[in-house]
Amino acid sequence: MRVLFFGGARDAVGAEEIELDLPMPSTAASAREALLTRYPGLRDFGRSLLFAVNHEYAAPELKIQDGDELAVFPPVSGGQNSDDFSEDFFELTTDPIEVGAVARRVILAQCGATVTLDGYAREWTKGRRTLYLVYEAYAPMAVTEMKKLGAQAREKFEIAHIGIVHRTGRLEIGETSVVISVSAPHRRAAFEACEWAIRELKRTVPIWKKEVFEDGEVWVEGEHSIPAA
């Protein structure tokens, strides 16, 4: 089995990827225990450590098959098109993001409002000066989870279209890290959907942020609220 590590979990293990042999049949829970035994540093994350199998969050009882891909990561920090809606889009990019260009992609004639959130790198966090940020993503799963957010947003709010673009790699202070743009016939739904989407993105999408300060660095972890193995 191929095991990938992200964010602080990668630092604890000292590797981005390993091969893990498990007796069959095995479950996500037994795979977790095997990894914790091999890499005790992972225990520092406690119950917040998250596991995914084949790009999906894994319940403890999930059966593990030979050749599956397992990903291990701490809570997330808080370019592909959707298959369901041609104007929806959910993308990762290492290039600078043009906020206006993202917003224009969801504008339709039947809409009365477009709300766009521009998240960017700030210089100060709790009194510490940030030099730059580094964003890392488990790319296939991140896009899958963003698509799920889009589908859920359509169910919860009366919107026309939604687009999310998140940057990865090194970001200088003031550079845009994420843009969420929502169009709707009425502005209230667009505002509510945009606020909901950024909150859920930070909670569920496997993207991590490292803050590099003048006096050190730290991986930022969000609140753990997703079932883990």
Side-chain angles (χ1 to χ4, degrees):
M1 165 183 315
R2 182 184 183 210
V3 185
L4 308 177
F5 299 93
F6 296 90
R10 183 189 62 224
D11 292 348
V13 170
E16 295 183 356
E17 179 180 334
I18 66 163
E19 294 292 326
L20 178 67
D21 292 324
L22 291 173
M24 294 297 167
S26 290
T27 64
S30 59
R32 172 192 175 100
E33 189 56 38
L35 288 168
L36 293 178
T37 299
R38 181 183 294 189
Y39 302 105
L42 292 174
R43 295 188 184 276
D44 293 342
F45 293 98
R47 295 183 59 82
S48 70
L49 196 65
L50 300 177
F51 285 71
V53 176
N54 298 330
H55 311 157
E56 297 282 349
Y57 287 109
E61 65 276 9
L62 180 70
K63 301 296 185 183
I64 300 293
Q65 305 294 327
D66 185 39
D68 283 348
E69 180 179 280
L70 176 65
V72 183
F73 41 80
V76 299
S77 302
Q80 302 176 28
N81 292 330
S82 166
D83 296 331
D84 301 319
F85 307 102
S86 60
E87 287 83 3
D88 290 356
F89 51 93
F90 309 95
E91 302 169 357
L92 298 174
T93 181
T94 57
D95 297 326
I97 302 173
E98 294 186 22
V99 180
V102 174
R104 286 192 294 273
R105 292 170 65 180
V106 298
I107 294 176
L108 299 174
Q110 64 266 36
C111 294
T114 298
V115 172
T116 300
L117 181 144
D118 174 9
Y120 49 85
R122 62 174 178 263
E123 185 173 8
W124 294 91
T125 301
K126 297 181 180 179
R128 299 178 74 184
R129 183 169 180 264
T130 301
L131 300 181
Y132 61 90
L133 303 180
V134 177
Y135 280 91
E136 174 182 305
Y138 181 23
M141 186 174 175
V143 173
T144 296
E145 291 297 316
M146 285 194 287
K147 288 181 178 180
K148 289 181 181 178
L149 290 186
Q152 292 168 14
R154 284 178 164 277
E155 293 176 357
K156 295 174 67 70
F157 308 99
E158 295 183 6
I159 63 174
H161 291 293
I162 178 171
I164 303 174
V165 181
H166 205 299
R167 190 171 168 191
T168 58
R170 174 168 170 159
L171 274 73
E172 305 301 331
I173 301 304
E175 289 191 307
T176 294
S177 59
V178 60
V179 173
I180 299 177
S181 194
V182 180
S183 61
H186 305 287
R187 66 179 180 274
R188 180 173 181 177
F191 273 109
E192 291 177 345
C194 196
E195 182 179 11
W196 176 87
I198 187 61
R199 184 172 63 247
E200 291 300 298
L201 183 147
K202 288 178 173 291
R203 189 178 71 87
T204 66
V205 178
I207 298 173
W208 301 271
K209 177 175 69 174
K210 177 185 282 189
E211 292 193 76
V212 179
F213 302 105
E214 292 179 306
D215 57 351
E217 60 184 40
V218 62
W219 286 102
V220 177
E221 294 182 13
E223 178 182 354
H224 170 61
S225 57
I226 302 168

